[in-house]
Each structure stands twice: as C-alpha cells, then as structure tokens.
C-alpha cells in the first residue's frame, strides 16, 4: 500500500488506478506532465476480471514501453471459434492481421495493471492509495478534489477513470445514456479438461445464453456466461452444469480458482468533457463483455487523452474517442443479441448462414473489428 501524502497541487488528477488510469499516467509521465493518480483501494485488485488484450492495445503498449513484459505473462491465441453447442459455425482468425501482434493475448487484468504500474514507477510515478474522492468541484482556474479524509488536491484538470459509477462524471453533470441487460453474467476461472483445448477462444451461442471459454496462463480457463439469475458466487457444480447444458461433453472442471456474478449495462457518456473534467474508460462507456473489448477501449482512451494533454489538443479528445465507444457498444450489443436469440427461426437462419459466411471476407472483418485495428 502506498500511503505517500498528497501534494497540494498537480496538473492532472486521475481518479482511478485501474488499466485506464495507469495508461493515462504512463503517457503523461512519458511526456513530463505532472499528475497524481488516486485510487480508493488499499491495494490493486487481485481478481482476474478482464482477460483479453487485443492487437491495437498491444500496439499502444508498445508505445508505452509495457508490451514486452505483458506478452511474456500471457497466452497468445490466434483464433476465435463461434459455436452452437459443440457445432462450429465460424472461425475468426487473427494470425493474418496487419499488425506486429497478429493474435489475442489472454492475461488476467491484475497482470496488465501490474505491468503498467511497474512502467509508471520506472518513470518516477506511482498510485496514491487509499484515497477515495468525495467531491469534485471545478472553477475557472482549476479543480478541487476533496477526499473522504478531508484532504484536498488542487489540479488544473481532473480525469474520471473511476468506473461506471464515476464520481467525476456525476460532478460534471454528464449523462450516461443507455440501458442495462436483463441477464446477469457469470465469471469464473477454472481448471478443466476442455475439448477444444487452449488454442482458441470459444464463443458458444445458445437459447440459454452466450458462453465464452478462453484459455489463461497456468492451465486455467476463463468462463463468461449470461444467466437469467446467477448466484452471487457460482460454485464448481453450478459452472459444470452450465457447461454441460451449453457445451455437452466438452468440459470436465477439476478446480475453481475464482468466481463472481455481475450485471452489465450498455451506455455511453453524452460527452467526454465538461470544462476541466474529462472521462475515460468505464466512466465513459460500458458494454457487454462479448468480444472482450472493455479494458482495451479504456487503455486506448487513456493513451489518447494523455497524448491530447501532451499536444495541447484536448478539444479533439471527445471527437476522437467517443465514436469508438459508440461503435464498440453497438457491435457488442448486436453480438450478444445474435448469440442469445430464442427465436427458433432466427437461430436456424443464423446457424445456416454463418458457416457460409466463413468463406467470405467476413471472418477477417470480424477479426479486425475485435482487434480494434480500425481505431488506429
């Protein structure tokens, strides 16, 4: 835990020390811009959460000097397989993408945070913990952030990288337009015998819900699934029954490392800036985990905003990044709805058409979209 006292002033106050806030901090540190990162947790989260790092994010991490170490900690996967039960409908290949990283890197989020934090420390920065921001007030000359402890920090600008319930976004009075999914999502990291093996990410469609199985380092697999009403902490039997139903005969779980239940929204902030307050990451956009793009979009937000500070082009930040979020939210929403349709006619048409589309340019287009290479 870093209990270093807060300075009185800084140029940029970053609220939130997750991947988005850390990417912004590294970018600012590289440009020599004074900043302070505040996080309410006494320690960084050690649960896995996001686990996919796509090609465009790895290109950004190349620029930040953080990609090599992260790649060494992850598993490289070169294809996504789209299935209905055990039947393969479509293969989405990443190995021919025009990038130095023609793959998806599977690595727990805490590893991504650790690598970014190490890079920030190498540049002379750190995260101030635990500091929970109680209020954010801007005026013509700057922003005053008051902690729950009563301590204050004066900054020229404040950035909300503090998640869906962002204190900074609320202080800015920026709307967060969208809705919540009715389903809950199960997330579990397991040890199992999985028939497709660790060479691909499986997106399994079904009337019961969407199920994603992805390999992780150390022989683990990540399972993400939509469930009408999941228990707060799904146990090994629950996850096994879920896979037996949706991927019959494909999985035998032998260990459960971690599990949780969460609700998901699809929302985009109405604006990314209000005066001296700016938004990035989940404070600016949230969406379905289908495709694993949330953390990726956030890291790219952080880097783009850091560059905007460095070049004095803050006015262009929203125009650059908000359309990306709108596109990601729309794409993942469509993917989720196509995957989970319960209409037998729609499902039959989907399962007939997708194998045919596998012989067109669609798989490469999907890979490019998922890898976020269109957002360079």
């Amino acid at each position: 835990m870093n209990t270093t006292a807060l300075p009185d002033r800084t140029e940029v106050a970053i609220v939130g020390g997750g991947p988005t806030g850390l990417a912004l901090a590294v970018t600012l540190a590289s440009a020599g811009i004074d900043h302070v990162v505040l996080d309410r947790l006494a320690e960084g989260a050690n649960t896995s959460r996001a686990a996919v790092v796509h090609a465009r994010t790895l290109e950004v991490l190349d620029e930040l000097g953080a990609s090599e170490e992260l790649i060494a900690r992850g598993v490289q996967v070169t294809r996504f397989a789209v299935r209905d039960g055990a039947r393969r409908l479509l293969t989405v290949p990443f190995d021919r993408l025009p990038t130095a990283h023609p793959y998806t890197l599977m690595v727990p989020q805490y590893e991504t945070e650790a690598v970014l934090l190490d890079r920030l420390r190498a540049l002379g920065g750190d995260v101030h913990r635990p500091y929970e921001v109680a209020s954010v007030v801007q005026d013509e000359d700057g922003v005053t952030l008051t902690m729950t402890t009563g301590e204050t920090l004066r900054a020229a600008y404040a950035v909300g990288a503090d998640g869906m319930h962002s204190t900074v976004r609320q202080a800015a009075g920026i709307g967060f337009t969208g809705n919540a999914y009715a389903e809950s999502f199960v997330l579990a990291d397991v040890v199992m015998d999985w028939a497709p093996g660790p060479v691909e990410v499986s997106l399994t469609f079904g009337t019961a819900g969407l199920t994603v199985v992805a390999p992780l380092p150390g022989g683990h697999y990540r399972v993400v699934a939509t469930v009408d009403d999941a228990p707060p902490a799904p146990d090994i039997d629950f996850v096994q029954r879920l896979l037996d139903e949706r991927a019959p005969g494909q999985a035998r779980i032998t260990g459960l490392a971690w599990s949780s239940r969460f609700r998901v929204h699809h929302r985009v902030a109405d604006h990314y800036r209000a005066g001296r307050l700016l938004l990035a990451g989940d404070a600016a956009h949230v969406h379905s985990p289908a495709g694993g793009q949330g953390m990726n979009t956030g890291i790219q937000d952080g880097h783009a905003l850091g560059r905007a500070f460095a070049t004095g082009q803050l006015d262009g930040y929203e125009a650059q990044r908000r359309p990306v979020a709108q596109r990601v939210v729309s794409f993942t929403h469509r993917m989720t709805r196509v995957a989970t349709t319960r209409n037998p006619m729609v499902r039959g048409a989907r399962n007939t058409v997708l194998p045919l589309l596998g012989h067109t340019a669609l798989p490469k287009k999907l890979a490019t979209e998922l890898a976020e290479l269109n957002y360079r």
Side-chain angles (χ1 to χ4, degrees), residues 341-356:
T341 180
R342 297 183 179 183
N343 183 312
M345 292 184 64
V346 174
R347 184 183 178 193
R350 178 198 67 195
N351 292 359
T352 299
V353 170
L354 279 181
L356 299 175

Side-chain angles (χ1 to χ4, degrees), residues 132-358:
E132 183 172 359
V133 177
S135 72
V136 180
V137 179
Q138 65 171 320
D139 54 52
E140 290 184 2
D141 301 318
V143 183
T144 300
L145 298 95
T146 303
M147 312 300 139
T148 53
T149 59
E151 296 170 84
T152 61
L153 172 65
R154 185 70 174 166
Y157 297 92
V159 176
D162 49 345
M164 190 177 103
H165 303 290
S166 171
T167 299
V168 176
R169 190 186 65 245
Q170 292 171 14
I174 296 174
F176 205 29
T177 301
N179 291 291
Y181 287 103
E183 307 94 336
S184 56
F185 282 74
V186 167
L187 190 155
D189 288 352
V190 302
V191 179
M192 68 177 174
D193 296 322
W194 173 243
V199 296
E200 63 187 28
V201 174
S202 296
L203 290 84
T204 301
F205 295 171
T207 55
L210 171 66
T211 308
V212 179
V213 178
L216 289 175
H220 287 69
Y221 286 89
R222 159 65 53 83
V223 179
V224 182
T226 57
V227 179
D228 285 341
D229 190 18
D235 61 17
I236 191 170
D237 291 334
F238 181 90
V239 181
Q240 182 67 65
R241 287 196 303 272
L242 186 151
L243 292 176
D244 286 344
E245 176 187 8
R246 302 185 184 189
Q250 301 290 293
R252 185 176 69 86
I253 300 175
T254 57
L256 176 67
W258 179 73
S259 71
S260 71
R261 173 192 68 185
F262 58 100
R263 297 279 178 179
V264 174
H265 294 237
H266 48 104
R267 300 181 183 273
V268 179
D270 295 346
H271 296 285
Y272 278 24
R273 182 182 183 184
R276 294 179 175 272
L277 306 181
L278 299 105
L279 305 176
D282 286 357
H285 48 78
V286 291
H287 50 83
S288 165
Q293 292 182 282
M295 182 183 70
N296 290 270
T297 309
I299 289 174
Q300 293 168 45
D301 285 347
H303 177 252
L305 182 52
R307 294 304 307 152
F309 274 114
T311 59
Q313 296 178 338
L314 281 181
D315 287 342
Y317 167 64
E318 177 177 325
Q320 178 188 358
R321 294 302 302 170
R322 190 169 180 272
V324 172
Q326 291 176 308
R327 183 165 168 171
V328 170
V329 169
S330 177
F331 175 65
T332 56
H333 182 64
R334 291 197 309 272
M335 187 186 303
T336 300
R337 286 295 168 240
V338 166
T340 58
T341 180
R342 297 183 179 183
N343 183 312
M345 292 184 64
V346 174
R347 184 183 178 193
R350 178 198 67 195
N351 292 359
T352 299
V353 170
L354 279 181
L356 299 175
L357 292 177

